[in-house]
Amino acid sequence: MAVKKVVTYGHPVLRKVSSDITDFSNIDSLIQDLFDTMYEFDGIGLASNQIGIDKRIFVVDISHMEESDEESNKPLVFINGRVDNTVGSDVDSEGCLSLPEIRINVERYESIRYKYLDRDLNKHSTNFSGLLARIIQHENDHLDGKLITDYATPADLLKHGKALELMRAENTK
Ligand code: NI
């Protein structure tokens, strides 16, 4: 069990395309680190490259949220996931533990089918909608080296440019 440092905007690992996990021998401790770190910083999702490990895994927990239903009412682990099918679109505001204090409106698919392995390495191909679909797309973006700032409008960049510049400077010195 360990709370890890969450890397912030400007760190090169956030721009790496994460590779599929093929060696599962240390997966349990990685999963535990991801949950410990996510809970420590009050996140609802955390991708592995946000703690510096560019492997295709993220965790999600929205069990404390209003939108949570019985199906999503537990901590979830997604390994080697891919978006498989998409329907509709929906715009909402998102934050990110790697971009503290910043919120950006992001257009996402309204619902998706996501293919992944769970923590017991069982295969799933599951439809998600609403908040879960949004979080999964956000975390899957992390695995592809994408961030919410990639969806920023010129107005967003004007508003958050200074904060982004400071983070980038912090990560390149
Ligand atoms: Ni994020």
Side-chain angles (χ1 to χ4, degrees), residues 39-70:
Y39 293 135
E40 175 71 19
F41 298 104
D42 294 323
I44 52 178
L46 188 69
S48 185
N49 60 348
Q50 293 184 274
I51 60 168
I53 298 164
D54 54 334
K55 292 293 174 192
R56 219 165 169 88
I57 176 172
F58 60 87
V59 297
V60 174
D61 188 351
I62 59 162
S63 58
H64 59 295
M65 311 273 294
E66 263 179 43
E67 281 193 48
S68 162
D69 56 28
E70 220 168 293

PDB file of all heavy atoms in Angstrom, residues 39-70:
ATOM      1  N   TYR A  39      -7.642   7.875  -3.858  1.00  0.00           N
ATOM      2  CA  TYR A  39      -8.431   8.248  -2.678  1.00  0.00           C
ATOM      3  C   TYR A  39      -7.748   9.373  -1.895  1.00  0.00           C
ATOM      4  O   TYR A  39      -8.418  10.274  -1.397  1.00  0.00           O
ATOM      5  CB  TYR A  39      -8.663   7.036  -1.769  1.00  0.00           C
ATOM      6  CG  TYR A  39      -9.553   5.969  -2.369  1.00  0.00           C
ATOM      7  CD1 TYR A  39      -9.218   4.621  -2.279  1.00  0.00           C
ATOM      8  CD2 TYR A  39     -10.733   6.302  -3.026  1.00  0.00           C
ATOM      9  CE1 TYR A  39     -10.029   3.633  -2.834  1.00  0.00           C
ATOM     10  CE2 TYR A  39     -11.551   5.333  -3.586  1.00  0.00           C
ATOM     11  CZ  TYR A  39     -11.197   3.999  -3.488  1.00  0.00           C
ATOM     12  OH  TYR A  39     -11.996   3.035  -4.031  1.00  0.00           O
ATOM     13  N   GLU A  40      -6.418   9.315  -1.793  1.00  0.00           N
ATOM     14  CA  GLU A  40      -5.679  10.341  -1.051  1.00  0.00           C
ATOM     15  C   GLU A  40      -5.966  11.736  -1.608  1.00  0.00           C
ATOM     16  O   GLU A  40      -6.083  12.701  -0.862  1.00  0.00           O
ATOM     17  CB  GLU A  40      -4.172  10.040  -1.123  1.00  0.00           C
ATOM     18  CG  GLU A  40      -3.268  11.102  -0.498  1.00  0.00           C
ATOM     19  CD  GLU A  40      -3.356  11.140   1.018  1.00  0.00           C
ATOM     20  OE1 GLU A  40      -3.823  10.150   1.616  1.00  0.00           O
ATOM     21  OE2 GLU A  40      -2.948  12.175   1.608  1.00  0.00           O
ATOM     22  N   PHE A  41      -6.079  11.831  -2.942  1.00  0.00           N
ATOM     23  CA  PHE A  41      -6.274  13.139  -3.574  1.00  0.00           C
ATOM     24  C   PHE A  41      -7.715  13.377  -4.019  1.00  0.00           C
ATOM     25  O   PHE A  41      -7.996  14.253  -4.836  1.00  0.00           O
ATOM     26  CB  PHE A  41      -5.287  13.294  -4.742  1.00  0.00           C
ATOM     27  CG  PHE A  41      -3.850  13.247  -4.287  1.00  0.00           C
ATOM     28  CD1 PHE A  41      -3.069  12.114  -4.483  1.00  0.00           C
ATOM     29  CD2 PHE A  41      -3.291  14.326  -3.601  1.00  0.00           C
ATOM     30  CE1 PHE A  41      -1.747  12.054  -4.039  1.00  0.00           C
ATOM     31  CE2 PHE A  41      -1.976  14.276  -3.148  1.00  0.00           C
ATOM     32  CZ  PHE A  41      -1.213  13.142  -3.369  1.00  0.00           C
ATOM     33  N   ASP A  42      -8.644  12.552  -3.476  1.00  0.00           N
ATOM     34  CA  ASP A  42     -10.078  12.729  -3.725  1.00  0.00           C
ATOM     35  C   ASP A  42     -10.454  12.659  -5.204  1.00  0.00           C
ATOM     36  O   ASP A  42     -11.334  13.385  -5.666  1.00  0.00           O
ATOM     37  CB  ASP A  42     -10.580  14.061  -3.136  1.00  0.00           C
ATOM     38  CG  ASP A  42     -10.500  14.061  -1.617  1.00  0.00           C
ATOM     39  OD1 ASP A  42     -10.766  12.997  -1.016  1.00  0.00           O
ATOM     40  OD2 ASP A  42     -10.157  15.104  -1.040  1.00  0.00           O
ATOM     41  N   GLY A  43      -9.778  11.792  -5.943  1.00  0.00           N
ATOM     42  CA  GLY A  43     -10.122  11.609  -7.348  1.00  0.00           C
ATOM     43  C   GLY A  43     -11.225  10.583  -7.527  1.00  0.00           C
ATOM     44  O   GLY A  43     -11.569   9.837  -6.602  1.00  0.00           O
ATOM     45  N   ILE A  44     -11.808  10.562  -8.723  1.00  0.00           N
ATOM     46  CA  ILE A  44     -12.809   9.538  -9.049  1.00  0.00           C
ATOM     47  C   ILE A  44     -12.279   8.583 -10.129  1.00  0.00           C
ATOM     48  O   ILE A  44     -12.918   7.599 -10.466  1.00  0.00           O
ATOM     49  CB  ILE A  44     -14.162  10.157  -9.482  1.00  0.00           C
ATOM     50  CG1 ILE A  44     -13.981  11.189 -10.600  1.00  0.00           C
ATOM     51  CG2 ILE A  44     -14.841  10.800  -8.293  1.00  0.00           C
ATOM     52  CD1 ILE A  44     -15.300  11.784 -11.100  1.00  0.00           C
ATOM     53  N   GLY A  45     -11.095   8.901 -10.660  1.00  0.00           N
ATOM     54  CA  GLY A  45     -10.436   8.022 -11.624  1.00  0.00           C
ATOM     55  C   GLY A  45      -8.954   8.357 -11.642  1.00  0.00           C
ATOM     56  O   GLY A  45      -8.575   9.499 -11.369  1.00  0.00           O
ATOM     57  N   LEU A  46      -8.117   7.352 -11.918  1.00  0.00           N
ATOM     58  CA  LEU A  46      -6.673   7.612 -11.993  1.00  0.00           C
ATOM     59  C   LEU A  46      -6.034   6.609 -12.948  1.00  0.00           C
ATOM     60  O   LEU A  46      -6.235   5.400 -12.820  1.00  0.00           O
ATOM     61  CB  LEU A  46      -6.022   7.490 -10.602  1.00  0.00           C
ATOM     62  CG  LEU A  46      -4.552   7.924 -10.529  1.00  0.00           C
ATOM     63  CD1 LEU A  46      -4.407   9.436 -10.707  1.00  0.00           C
ATOM     64  CD2 LEU A  46      -3.927   7.494  -9.203  1.00  0.00           C
ATOM     65  N   ALA A  47      -5.268   7.144 -13.895  1.00  0.00           N
ATOM     66  CA  ALA A  47      -4.572   6.296 -14.861  1.00  0.00           C
ATOM     67  C   ALA A  47      -3.131   6.082 -14.405  1.00  0.00           C
ATOM     68  O   ALA A  47      -2.534   6.929 -13.735  1.00  0.00           O
ATOM     69  CB  ALA A  47      -4.595   6.947 -16.242  1.00  0.00           C
ATOM     70  N   SER A  48      -2.585   4.945 -14.806  1.00  0.00           N
ATOM     71  CA  SER A  48      -1.268   4.526 -14.333  1.00  0.00           C
ATOM     72  C   SER A  48      -0.158   5.525 -14.678  1.00  0.00           C
ATOM     73  O   SER A  48       0.746   5.752 -13.873  1.00  0.00           O
ATOM     74  CB  SER A  48      -0.957   3.147 -14.931  1.00  0.00           C
ATOM     75  OG  SER A  48       0.234   2.646 -14.443  1.00  0.00           O
ATOM     76  N   ASN A  49      -0.227   6.143 -15.864  1.00  0.00           N
ATOM     77  CA  ASN A  49       0.865   7.077 -16.192  1.00  0.00           C
ATOM     78  C   ASN A  49       0.825   8.333 -15.316  1.00  0.00           C
ATOM     79  O   ASN A  49       1.812   9.064 -15.237  1.00  0.00           O
ATOM     80  CB  ASN A  49       0.936   7.416 -17.689  1.00  0.00           C
ATOM     81  CG  ASN A  49      -0.305   8.061 -18.254  1.00  0.00           C
ATOM     82  OD1 ASN A  49      -1.350   8.083 -17.606  1.00  0.00           O
ATOM     83  ND2 ASN A  49      -0.201   8.583 -19.469  1.00  0.00           N
ATOM     84  N   GLN A  50      -0.306   8.567 -14.627  1.00  0.00           N
ATOM     85  CA  GLN A  50      -0.348   9.700 -13.699  1.00  0.00           C
ATOM     86  C   GLN A  50       0.499   9.445 -12.457  1.00  0.00           C
ATOM     87  O   GLN A  50       0.790  10.394 -11.715  1.00  0.00           O
ATOM     88  CB  GLN A  50      -1.798   9.998 -13.298  1.00  0.00           C
ATOM     89  CG  GLN A  50      -2.641  10.518 -14.462  1.00  0.00           C
ATOM     90  CD  GLN A  50      -4.028  10.883 -14.004  1.00  0.00           C
ATOM     91  OE1 GLN A  50      -4.910  10.032 -13.943  1.00  0.00           O
ATOM     92  NE2 GLN A  50      -4.238  12.142 -13.647  1.00  0.00           N
ATOM     93  N   ILE A  51       0.859   8.195 -12.194  1.00  0.00           N
ATOM     94  CA  ILE A  51       1.843   7.926 -11.134  1.00  0.00           C
ATOM     95  C   ILE A  51       3.160   7.469 -11.757  1.00  0.00           C
ATOM     96  O   ILE A  51       3.990   6.820 -11.092  1.00  0.00           O
ATOM     97  CB  ILE A  51       1.333   6.939 -10.060  1.00  0.00           C
ATOM     98  CG1 ILE A  51       0.961   5.574 -10.651  1.00  0.00           C
ATOM     99  CG2 ILE A  51       0.150   7.534  -9.309  1.00  0.00           C
ATOM    100  CD1 ILE A  51       0.744   4.486  -9.579  1.00  0.00           C
ATOM    101  N   GLY A  52       3.344   7.772 -13.039  1.00  0.00           N
ATOM    102  CA  GLY A  52       4.641   7.581 -13.673  1.00  0.00           C
ATOM    103  C   GLY A  52       4.859   6.239 -14.351  1.00  0.00           C
ATOM    104  O   GLY A  52       5.964   5.956 -14.810  1.00  0.00           O
ATOM    105  N   ILE A  53       3.809   5.411 -14.415  1.00  0.00           N
ATOM    106  CA  ILE A  53       3.970   4.064 -14.996  1.00  0.00           C
ATOM    107  C   ILE A  53       3.111   3.971 -16.260  1.00  0.00           C
ATOM    108  O   ILE A  53       1.875   3.965 -16.175  1.00  0.00           O
ATOM    109  CB  ILE A  53       3.546   2.989 -13.971  1.00  0.00           C
ATOM    110  CG1 ILE A  53       4.455   3.071 -12.740  1.00  0.00           C
ATOM    111  CG2 ILE A  53       3.582   1.592 -14.590  1.00  0.00           C
ATOM    112  CD1 ILE A  53       3.925   2.349 -11.529  1.00  0.00           C
ATOM    113  N   ASP A  54       3.774   3.924 -17.425  1.00  0.00           N
ATOM    114  CA  ASP A  54       3.005   4.003 -18.679  1.00  0.00           C
ATOM    115  C   ASP A  54       2.513   2.625 -19.132  1.00  0.00           C
ATOM    116  O   ASP A  54       2.894   2.108 -20.166  1.00  0.00           O
ATOM    117  CB  ASP A  54       3.811   4.705 -19.780  1.00  0.00           C
ATOM    118  CG  ASP A  54       5.178   4.094 -20.009  1.00  0.00           C
ATOM    119  OD1 ASP A  54       5.715   3.490 -19.076  1.00  0.00           O
ATOM    120  OD2 ASP A  54       5.695   4.217 -21.132  1.00  0.00           O
ATOM    121  N   LYS A  55       1.644   2.068 -18.282  1.00  0.00           N
ATOM    122  CA  LYS A  55       0.984   0.791 -18.572  1.00  0.00           C
ATOM    123  C   LYS A  55      -0.514   1.022 -18.706  1.00  0.00           C
ATOM    124  O   LYS A  55      -1.068   1.935 -18.088  1.00  0.00           O
ATOM    125  CB  LYS A  55       1.250  -0.219 -17.448  1.00  0.00           C
ATOM    126  CG  LYS A  55       2.697  -0.669 -17.376  1.00  0.00           C
ATOM    127  CD  LYS A  55       3.072  -1.482 -18.602  1.00  0.00           C
ATOM    128  CE  LYS A  55       4.554  -1.813 -18.636  1.00  0.00           C
ATOM    129  NZ  LYS A  55       4.964  -2.346 -19.941  1.00  0.00           N
ATOM    130  N   ARG A  56      -1.149   0.146 -19.503  1.00  0.00           N
ATOM    131  CA  ARG A  56      -2.551   0.370 -19.855  1.00  0.00           C
ATOM    132  C   ARG A  56      -3.498  -0.120 -18.753  1.00  0.00           C
ATOM    133  O   ARG A  56      -4.154  -1.148 -18.862  1.00  0.00           O
ATOM    134  CB  ARG A  56      -2.846  -0.346 -21.173  1.00  0.00           C
ATOM    135  CG  ARG A  56      -3.749   0.484 -22.043  1.00  0.00           C
ATOM    136  CD  ARG A  56      -3.853   0.083 -23.469  1.00  0.00           C
ATOM    137  NE  ARG A  56      -4.957   0.851 -23.997  1.00  0.00           N
ATOM    138  CZ  ARG A  56      -4.835   2.051 -24.513  1.00  0.00           C
ATOM    139  NH1 ARG A  56      -3.657   2.605 -24.633  1.00  0.00           N
ATOM    140  NH2 ARG A  56      -5.913   2.693 -24.922  1.00  0.00           N
ATOM    141  N   ILE A  57      -3.587   0.685 -17.703  1.00  0.00           N
ATOM    142  CA  ILE A  57      -4.476   0.357 -16.580  1.00  0.00           C
ATOM    143  C   ILE A  57      -4.934   1.641 -15.906  1.00  0.00           C
ATOM    144  O   ILE A  57      -4.174   2.597 -15.807  1.00  0.00           O
ATOM    145  CB  ILE A  57      -3.768  -0.568 -15.551  1.00  0.00           C
ATOM    146  CG1 ILE A  57      -4.675  -0.833 -14.329  1.00  0.00           C
ATOM    147  CG2 ILE A  57      -2.432  -0.003 -15.112  1.00  0.00           C
ATOM    148  CD1 ILE A  57      -4.114  -1.877 -13.367  1.00  0.00           C
ATOM    149  N   PHE A  58      -6.215   1.663 -15.517  1.00  0.00           N
ATOM    150  CA  PHE A  58      -6.705   2.770 -14.697  1.00  0.00           C
ATOM    151  C   PHE A  58      -7.756   2.252 -13.726  1.00  0.00           C
ATOM    152  O   PHE A  58      -8.297   1.149 -13.903  1.00  0.00           O
ATOM    153  CB  PHE A  58      -7.256   3.928 -15.552  1.00  0.00           C
ATOM    154  CG  PHE A  58      -8.410   3.592 -16.451  1.00  0.00           C
ATOM    155  CD1 PHE A  58      -9.715   3.651 -15.990  1.00  0.00           C
ATOM    156  CD2 PHE A  58      -8.190   3.264 -17.784  1.00  0.00           C
ATOM    157  CE1 PHE A  58     -10.786   3.379 -16.834  1.00  0.00           C
ATOM    158  CE2 PHE A  58      -9.254   2.982 -18.640  1.00  0.00           C
ATOM    159  CZ  PHE A  58     -10.555   3.041 -18.165  1.00  0.00           C
ATOM    160  N   VAL A  59      -8.000   3.051 -12.685  1.00  0.00           N
ATOM    161  CA  VAL A  59      -9.020   2.689 -11.696  1.00  0.00           C
ATOM    162  C   VAL A  59     -10.054   3.810 -11.617  1.00  0.00           C
ATOM    163  O   VAL A  59      -9.763   4.972 -11.929  1.00  0.00           O
ATOM    164  CB  VAL A  59      -8.399   2.436 -10.294  1.00  0.00           C
ATOM    165  CG1 VAL A  59      -7.437   1.260 -10.348  1.00  0.00           C
ATOM    166  CG2 VAL A  59      -7.709   3.682  -9.751  1.00  0.00           C
ATOM    167  N   VAL A  60     -11.262   3.440 -11.212  1.00  0.00           N
ATOM    168  CA  VAL A  60     -12.380   4.375 -11.110  1.00  0.00           C
ATOM    169  C   VAL A  60     -13.174   4.009  -9.859  1.00  0.00           C
ATOM    170  O   VAL A  60     -13.345   2.831  -9.558  1.00  0.00           O
ATOM    171  CB  VAL A  60     -13.314   4.267 -12.352  1.00  0.00           C
ATOM    172  CG1 VAL A  60     -14.567   5.128 -12.174  1.00  0.00           C
ATOM    173  CG2 VAL A  60     -12.581   4.655 -13.636  1.00  0.00           C
ATOM    174  N   ASP A  61     -13.635   5.031  -9.129  1.00  0.00           N
ATOM    175  CA  ASP A  61     -14.592   4.763  -8.048  1.00  0.00           C
ATOM    176  C   ASP A  61     -15.545   5.944  -7.936  1.00  0.00           C
ATOM    177  O   ASP A  61     -15.159   7.029  -7.524  1.00  0.00           O
ATOM    178  CB  ASP A  61     -13.862   4.541  -6.720  1.00  0.00           C
ATOM    179  CG  ASP A  61     -14.823   4.070  -5.624  1.00  0.00           C
ATOM    180  OD1 ASP A  61     -16.054   4.096  -5.855  1.00  0.00           O
ATOM    181  OD2 ASP A  61     -14.353   3.685  -4.547  1.00  0.00           O
ATOM    182  N   ILE A  62     -16.800   5.704  -8.334  1.00  0.00           N
ATOM    183  CA  ILE A  62     -17.811   6.760  -8.186  1.00  0.00           C
ATOM    184  C   ILE A  62     -18.891   6.324  -7.190  1.00  0.00           C
ATOM    185  O   ILE A  62     -19.996   6.859  -7.187  1.00  0.00           O
ATOM    186  CB  ILE A  62     -18.476   7.140  -9.536  1.00  0.00           C
ATOM    187  CG1 ILE A  62     -19.170   5.932 -10.187  1.00  0.00           C
ATOM    188  CG2 ILE A  62     -17.470   7.772 -10.481  1.00  0.00           C
ATOM    189  CD1 ILE A  62     -20.187   6.343 -11.260  1.00  0.00           C
ATOM    190  N   SER A  63     -18.538   5.368  -6.326  1.00  0.00           N
ATOM    191  CA  SER A  63     -19.562   4.807  -5.426  1.00  0.00           C
ATOM    192  C   SER A  63     -20.130   5.845  -4.457  1.00  0.00           C
ATOM    193  O   SER A  63     -21.223   5.675  -3.948  1.00  0.00           O
ATOM    194  CB  SER A  63     -19.001   3.611  -4.665  1.00  0.00           C
ATOM    195  OG  SER A  63     -17.872   3.985  -3.929  1.00  0.00           O
ATOM    196  N   HIS A  64     -19.380   6.937  -4.236  1.00  0.00           N
ATOM    197  CA  HIS A  64     -19.855   7.975  -3.315  1.00  0.00           C
ATOM    198  C   HIS A  64     -20.627   9.077  -4.040  1.00  0.00           C
ATOM    199  O   HIS A  64     -21.082  10.029  -3.421  1.00  0.00           O
ATOM    200  CB  HIS A  64     -18.669   8.593  -2.581  1.00  0.00           C
ATOM    201  CG  HIS A  64     -17.669   9.216  -3.501  1.00  0.00           C
ATOM    202  ND1 HIS A  64     -16.931   8.454  -4.397  1.00  0.00           N
ATOM    203  CD2 HIS A  64     -17.301  10.495  -3.697  1.00  0.00           C
ATOM    204  CE1 HIS A  64     -16.153   9.264  -5.097  1.00  0.00           C
ATOM    205  NE2 HIS A  64     -16.359  10.497  -4.692  1.00  0.00           N
ATOM    206  N   MET A  65     -20.782   8.945  -5.376  1.00  0.00           N
ATOM    207  CA  MET A  65     -21.410  10.014  -6.154  1.00  0.00           C
ATOM    208  C   MET A  65     -22.911   9.784  -6.274  1.00  0.00           C
ATOM    209  O   MET A  65     -23.380   8.657  -6.237  1.00  0.00           O
ATOM    210  CB  MET A  65     -20.830  10.078  -7.571  1.00  0.00           C
ATOM    211  CG  MET A  65     -19.332  10.081  -7.639  1.00  0.00           C
ATOM    212  SD  MET A  65     -18.599  11.710  -7.502  1.00  0.00           S
ATOM    213  CE  MET A  65     -19.194  12.471  -8.994  1.00  0.00           C
ATOM    214  N   GLU A  66     -23.630  10.876  -6.490  1.00  0.00           N
ATOM    215  CA  GLU A  66     -25.082  10.799  -6.636  1.00  0.00           C
ATOM    216  C   GLU A  66     -25.502   9.935  -7.821  1.00  0.00           C
ATOM    217  O   GLU A  66     -26.509   9.257  -7.774  1.00  0.00           O
ATOM    218  CB  GLU A  66     -25.654  12.205  -6.841  1.00  0.00           C
ATOM    219  CG  GLU A  66     -26.182  12.815  -5.557  1.00  0.00           C
ATOM    220  CD  GLU A  66     -26.721  14.212  -5.803  1.00  0.00           C
ATOM    221  OE1 GLU A  66     -27.407  14.383  -6.819  1.00  0.00           O
ATOM    222  OE2 GLU A  66     -26.425  15.091  -4.984  1.00  0.00           O
ATOM    223  N   GLU A  67     -24.702  10.021  -8.905  1.00  0.00           N
ATOM    224  CA  GLU A  67     -25.086   9.312 -10.123  1.00  0.00           C
ATOM    225  C   GLU A  67     -24.824   7.813 -10.056  1.00  0.00           C
ATOM    226  O   GLU A  67     -25.164   7.076 -10.958  1.00  0.00           O
ATOM    227  CB  GLU A  67     -24.313   9.873 -11.327  1.00  0.00           C
ATOM    228  CG  GLU A  67     -24.877  11.156 -11.848  1.00  0.00           C
ATOM    229  CD  GLU A  67     -24.298  11.500 -13.220  1.00  0.00           C
ATOM    230  OE1 GLU A  67     -24.272  10.634 -14.100  1.00  0.00           O
ATOM    231  OE2 GLU A  67     -23.875  12.652 -13.383  1.00  0.00           O
ATOM    232  N   SER A  68     -24.201   7.399  -8.985  1.00  0.00           N
ATOM    233  CA  SER A  68     -23.840   5.996  -8.860  1.00  0.00           C
ATOM    234  C   SER A  68     -25.088   5.114  -8.741  1.00  0.00           C
ATOM    235  O   SER A  68     -26.041   5.445  -8.052  1.00  0.00           O
ATOM    236  CB  SER A  68     -22.963   5.849  -7.623  1.00  0.00           C
ATOM    237  OG  SER A  68     -22.902   4.527  -7.214  1.00  0.00           O
ATOM    238  N   ASP A  69     -25.104   3.999  -9.435  1.00  0.00           N
ATOM    239  CA  ASP A  69     -26.178   3.029  -9.235  1.00  0.00           C
ATOM    240  C   ASP A  69     -25.548   1.734  -8.728  1.00  0.00           C
ATOM    241  O   ASP A  69     -24.343   1.653  -8.507  1.00  0.00           O
ATOM    242  CB  ASP A  69     -26.961   2.796 -10.532  1.00  0.00           C
ATOM    243  CG  ASP A  69     -26.065   2.361 -11.674  1.00  0.00           C
ATOM    244  OD1 ASP A  69     -25.017   1.735 -11.401  1.00  0.00           O
ATOM    245  OD2 ASP A  69     -26.414   2.640 -12.825  1.00  0.00           O
ATOM    246  N   GLU A  70     -26.353   0.724  -8.534  1.00  0.00           N
ATOM    247  CA  GLU A  70     -25.846  -0.510  -7.937  1.00  0.00           C
ATOM    248  C   GLU A  70     -24.695  -1.104  -8.756  1.00  0.00           C
ATOM    249  O   GLU A  70     -23.707  -1.573  -8.214  1.00  0.00           O
ATOM    250  CB  GLU A  70     -26.977  -1.527  -7.831  1.00  0.00           C
ATOM    251  CG  GLU A  70     -26.931  -2.312  -6.537  1.00  0.00           C
ATOM    252  CD  GLU A  70     -28.201  -3.095  -6.339  1.00  0.00           C
ATOM    253  OE1 GLU A  70     -29.263  -2.463  -6.136  1.00  0.00           O
ATOM    254  OE2 GLU A  70     -28.133  -4.315  -6.415  1.00  0.00           O
TER     255      GLU A  70
END
